[in-house]
Amino acid sequence: PTELQPEFHLAAVMKREDPRDAFVSSNFFDISELPEGARVGTSSLRRQSQLLAYRSDLQVLPLRGNIDSRMKKVQAGEYDAIILAAAGVSRLALNPDITCRIPPDLMCPAAGQGALGIEIRNGDAQTLDLLKFLDDGEARATTLCERTLLQALGGGCQVPIGALAEMKGSLLILNAMVGRPDGTQILRHKAEGRDPEKLGKEAAAALLGKGADVILRD
């Protein structure tokens, strides 16, 4: 969640896995190769929005179950392709099953995608000290930036919002998007800065200024 309850504290954000989305198909290499009317499985409105903005001719169908069962569904031909987080596939050592990793400029990932956060009780100094070695500075900065943007927009997982911050030296580069679920409108914004929270808030304000408030309200 973008806001923790007061009795909890985010003790560590571990080194981040690949934050991108993965394209998995038995017959096609990437989204551009899919034939007209192809069936693509995803239950993410963020993925659906960006997918339909790029290929409005595709059929986007709901996709449920754990990663193993999702993989089996595409292998059985229930879908022509599915899209899911590359990090989840990688953590289950299923990397060979990924057909391609989707570039973030085509499909902006979800805020915090690929990162594992560890919560503890607020004020538990002993546990906090024990977990210090797991905290990755770059992962904490990038996810803080993304989560700040999400919080400033007031969106959750039911709204198509994407955010990916990356470190380039001491500079943070943030790519963010807000879109309509049917893909008819996608707003994108790219910004850079050194303060994660400030950058996240400024990017959110820029997106709201472009009309994200109307999308979110609708």
Side-chain angles (χ1 to χ4, degrees):
T2 53
E3 282 188 68
L4 297 185
Q5 295 300 312
E7 63 266 33
F8 297 108
H9 175 71
L10 189 59
V13 181
M14 295 174 63
K15 186 173 176 63
R16 199 169 186 175
E17 258 283 5
D18 188 341
R20 292 175 293 179
D21 285 305
F23 177 88
V24 178
S25 175
S26 299
N27 301 305
F28 306 100
F29 177 71
D30 60 20
I31 298 170
S32 66
E33 283 193 2
L34 290 169
E36 186 176 336
R39 299 157 299 156
V40 182
T42 177
S43 294
S44 160
L45 290 179
R46 173 190 58 81
R47 293 179 184 128
Q48 174 183 306
S49 173
Q50 295 178 92
L51 184 64
L52 290 174
Y54 178 56
R55 290 282 307 271
S56 60
D57 60 297
L58 298 175
Q59 292 184 66
V60 180
L61 304 172
L63 179 65
R64 304 289 178 194
N66 60 35
I67 293 174
D68 274 334
S69 62
R70 292 181 187 204
M71 291 290 203
K72 285 173 184 171
K73 286 176 182 178
V74 75
Q75 289 161 3
E78 292 181 40
Y79 302 90
D80 295 301
I82 60 171
I83 299 174
L84 62 174
V89 181
S90 178
R91 288 190 179 112
L92 291 177
L94 297 172
N95 275 328
D97 292 322
I98 295 178
T99 315
C100 80
R101 295 164 194 265
I102 306 172
D105 56 350
L106 173 60
M107 188 164 289
C108 189
Q113 186 160 298
L116 289 175
I118 303 178
E119 285 181 43
I120 64 170
R121 294 171 300 176
N122 206 355
D124 185 348
Q126 184 181 8
T127 304
L128 180 62
D129 190 56
L130 286 169
L131 293 172
K132 272 182 182 174
F133 80 101
L134 287 174
D135 193 46
D136 182 84
E138 183 172 326
R140 182 175 281 273
T142 55
T143 54
L144 175 60
C145 183
E146 295 161 14
R147 292 170 73 242
T148 300
L149 173 125
L150 189 63
Q151 184 178 15
L153 288 173
C157 57
Q158 296 308 310
V159 181
I161 297 175
L164 177 64
E166 298 176 284
M167 292 287 297
K168 302 291 183 184
S170 61
L171 199 65
L172 273 169
I173 299 171
L174 174 64
N175 280 284
M177 63 75 61
V178 177
R180 293 190 181 276
D182 62 3
T184 54
Q185 185 183 16
I186 300 275
L187 303 176
R188 297 188 186 272
H189 183 73
K190 184 175 183 177
E192 57 184 50
R194 299 185 188 280
D195 183 317
E197 290 184 278
K198 184 182 178 187
L199 180 58
K201 288 175 183 175
E202 288 175 351
L207 284 166
L208 291 169
K210 292 179 179 180
D213 55 334
V214 178
I215 294 175
L216 296 168
R217 188 168 64 244
D218 290 349

PDB file of all heavy atoms in Angstrom, residues 169-182:
ATOM      1  N   GLY A 169      23.417   7.280 -12.294  1.00  0.00           N
ATOM      2  CA  GLY A 169      24.342   7.972 -11.402  1.00  0.00           C
ATOM      3  C   GLY A 169      23.588   8.386 -10.149  1.00  0.00           C
ATOM      4  O   GLY A 169      22.987   7.560  -9.472  1.00  0.00           O
ATOM      5  N   SER A 170      23.588   9.681  -9.842  1.00  0.00           N
ATOM      6  CA  SER A 170      22.849  10.174  -8.675  1.00  0.00           C
ATOM      7  C   SER A 170      21.491  10.742  -9.072  1.00  0.00           C
ATOM      8  O   SER A 170      20.773  11.289  -8.235  1.00  0.00           O
ATOM      9  CB  SER A 170      23.665  11.251  -7.959  1.00  0.00           C
ATOM     10  OG  SER A 170      23.898  12.358  -8.819  1.00  0.00           O
ATOM     11  N   LEU A 171      21.146  10.605 -10.356  1.00  0.00           N
ATOM     12  CA  LEU A 171      19.911  11.180 -10.879  1.00  0.00           C
ATOM     13  C   LEU A 171      18.822  10.117 -11.021  1.00  0.00           C
ATOM     14  O   LEU A 171      19.097   8.997 -11.451  1.00  0.00           O
ATOM     15  CB  LEU A 171      20.188  11.816 -12.244  1.00  0.00           C
ATOM     16  CG  LEU A 171      19.184  12.843 -12.779  1.00  0.00           C
ATOM     17  CD1 LEU A 171      19.152  14.090 -11.904  1.00  0.00           C
ATOM     18  CD2 LEU A 171      19.540  13.207 -14.219  1.00  0.00           C
ATOM     19  N   LEU A 172      17.604  10.476 -10.664  1.00  0.00           N
ATOM     20  CA  LEU A 172      16.453   9.601 -10.852  1.00  0.00           C
ATOM     21  C   LEU A 172      15.713  10.022 -12.109  1.00  0.00           C
ATOM     22  O   LEU A 172      15.429  11.210 -12.308  1.00  0.00           O
ATOM     23  CB  LEU A 172      15.493   9.714  -9.666  1.00  0.00           C
ATOM     24  CG  LEU A 172      15.732   8.825  -8.444  1.00  0.00           C
ATOM     25  CD1 LEU A 172      14.839   9.295  -7.302  1.00  0.00           C
ATOM     26  CD2 LEU A 172      15.423   7.373  -8.755  1.00  0.00           C
ATOM     27  N   ILE A 173      15.391   9.070 -12.958  1.00  0.00           N
ATOM     28  CA  ILE A 173      14.588   9.341 -14.151  1.00  0.00           C
ATOM     29  C   ILE A 173      13.281   8.572 -14.002  1.00  0.00           C
ATOM     30  O   ILE A 173      13.285   7.349 -13.834  1.00  0.00           O
ATOM     31  CB  ILE A 173      15.332   8.925 -15.431  1.00  0.00           C
ATOM     32  CG1 ILE A 173      16.638   9.722 -15.558  1.00  0.00           C
ATOM     33  CG2 ILE A 173      14.450   9.137 -16.658  1.00  0.00           C
ATOM     34  CD1 ILE A 173      17.555   9.271 -16.646  1.00  0.00           C
ATOM     35  N   LEU A 174      12.174   9.300 -14.034  1.00  0.00           N
ATOM     36  CA  LEU A 174      10.857   8.711 -13.802  1.00  0.00           C
ATOM     37  C   LEU A 174      10.005   8.760 -15.062  1.00  0.00           C
ATOM     38  O   LEU A 174       9.834   9.821 -15.668  1.00  0.00           O
ATOM     39  CB  LEU A 174      10.139   9.459 -12.672  1.00  0.00           C
ATOM     40  CG  LEU A 174       8.678   9.054 -12.394  1.00  0.00           C
ATOM     41  CD1 LEU A 174       8.587   7.609 -11.915  1.00  0.00           C
ATOM     42  CD2 LEU A 174       8.050   9.994 -11.365  1.00  0.00           C
ATOM     43  N   ASN A 175       9.494   7.613 -15.463  1.00  0.00           N
ATOM     44  CA  ASN A 175       8.507   7.522 -16.540  1.00  0.00           C
ATOM     45  C   ASN A 175       7.179   7.110 -15.922  1.00  0.00           C
ATOM     46  O   ASN A 175       7.133   6.153 -15.142  1.00  0.00           O
ATOM     47  CB  ASN A 175       8.928   6.483 -17.583  1.00  0.00           C
ATOM     48  CG  ASN A 175       9.960   7.024 -18.552  1.00  0.00           C
ATOM     49  OD1 ASN A 175       9.642   7.786 -19.452  1.00  0.00           O
ATOM     50  ND2 ASN A 175      11.215   6.648 -18.344  1.00  0.00           N
ATOM     51  N   ALA A 176       6.113   7.832 -16.258  1.00  0.00           N
ATOM     52  CA  ALA A 176       4.813   7.534 -15.653  1.00  0.00           C
ATOM     53  C   ALA A 176       3.714   7.645 -16.699  1.00  0.00           C
ATOM     54  O   ALA A 176       3.864   8.339 -17.709  1.00  0.00           O
ATOM     55  CB  ALA A 176       4.538   8.490 -14.498  1.00  0.00           C
ATOM     56  N   MET A 177       2.606   6.930 -16.450  1.00  0.00           N
ATOM     57  CA  MET A 177       1.465   6.979 -17.357  1.00  0.00           C
ATOM     58  C   MET A 177       0.163   6.835 -16.586  1.00  0.00           C
ATOM     59  O   MET A 177       0.113   6.231 -15.523  1.00  0.00           O
ATOM     60  CB  MET A 177       1.547   5.901 -18.442  1.00  0.00           C
ATOM     61  CG  MET A 177       1.521   4.445 -17.996  1.00  0.00           C
ATOM     62  SD  MET A 177      -0.069   3.712 -17.445  1.00  0.00           S
ATOM     63  CE  MET A 177      -1.053   3.875 -18.923  1.00  0.00           C
ATOM     64  N   VAL A 178      -0.876   7.428 -17.148  1.00  0.00           N
ATOM     65  CA  VAL A 178      -2.248   7.221 -16.694  1.00  0.00           C
ATOM     66  C   VAL A 178      -3.071   7.017 -17.958  1.00  0.00           C
ATOM     67  O   VAL A 178      -2.906   7.748 -18.941  1.00  0.00           O
ATOM     68  CB  VAL A 178      -2.803   8.430 -15.905  1.00  0.00           C
ATOM     69  CG1 VAL A 178      -4.262   8.197 -15.517  1.00  0.00           C
ATOM     70  CG2 VAL A 178      -1.969   8.686 -14.655  1.00  0.00           C
ATOM     71  N   GLY A 179      -3.936   6.013 -17.970  1.00  0.00           N
ATOM     72  CA  GLY A 179      -4.705   5.753 -19.184  1.00  0.00           C
ATOM     73  C   GLY A 179      -6.124   5.305 -18.910  1.00  0.00           C
ATOM     74  O   GLY A 179      -6.478   4.955 -17.782  1.00  0.00           O
ATOM     75  N   ARG A 180      -6.913   5.333 -19.943  1.00  0.00           N
ATOM     76  CA  ARG A 180      -8.266   4.777 -19.856  1.00  0.00           C
ATOM     77  C   ARG A 180      -8.183   3.272 -20.099  1.00  0.00           C
ATOM     78  O   ARG A 180      -7.376   2.819 -20.924  1.00  0.00           O
ATOM     79  CB  ARG A 180      -9.187   5.434 -20.886  1.00  0.00           C
ATOM     80  CG  ARG A 180      -9.447   6.908 -20.609  1.00  0.00           C
ATOM     81  CD  ARG A 180     -10.544   7.486 -21.481  1.00  0.00           C
ATOM     82  NE  ARG A 180     -10.748   8.901 -21.193  1.00  0.00           N
ATOM     83  CZ  ARG A 180     -11.507   9.370 -20.197  1.00  0.00           C
ATOM     84  NH1 ARG A 180     -12.146   8.519 -19.422  1.00  0.00           N
ATOM     85  NH2 ARG A 180     -11.632  10.664 -19.986  1.00  0.00           N
ATOM     86  N   PRO A 181      -9.009   2.483 -19.401  1.00  0.00           N
ATOM     87  CA  PRO A 181      -8.930   1.025 -19.544  1.00  0.00           C
ATOM     88  C   PRO A 181      -9.073   0.531 -20.981  1.00  0.00           C
ATOM     89  O   PRO A 181      -8.499  -0.501 -21.343  1.00  0.00           O
ATOM     90  CB  PRO A 181     -10.088   0.526 -18.669  1.00  0.00           C
ATOM     91  CG  PRO A 181     -10.244   1.584 -17.629  1.00  0.00           C
ATOM     92  CD  PRO A 181      -9.958   2.879 -18.342  1.00  0.00           C
ATOM     93  N   ASP A 182      -9.829   1.260 -21.814  1.00  0.00           N
ATOM     94  CA  ASP A 182     -10.028   0.811 -23.197  1.00  0.00           C
ATOM     95  C   ASP A 182      -8.918   1.274 -24.135  1.00  0.00           C
ATOM     96  O   ASP A 182      -8.959   1.007 -25.347  1.00  0.00           O
ATOM     97  CB  ASP A 182     -11.391   1.269 -23.722  1.00  0.00           C
ATOM     98  CG  ASP A 182     -11.536   2.794 -23.774  1.00  0.00           C
ATOM     99  OD1 ASP A 182     -10.554   3.509 -23.458  1.00  0.00           O
ATOM    100  OD2 ASP A 182     -12.636   3.270 -24.128  1.00  0.00           O
TER     101      ASP A 182
END
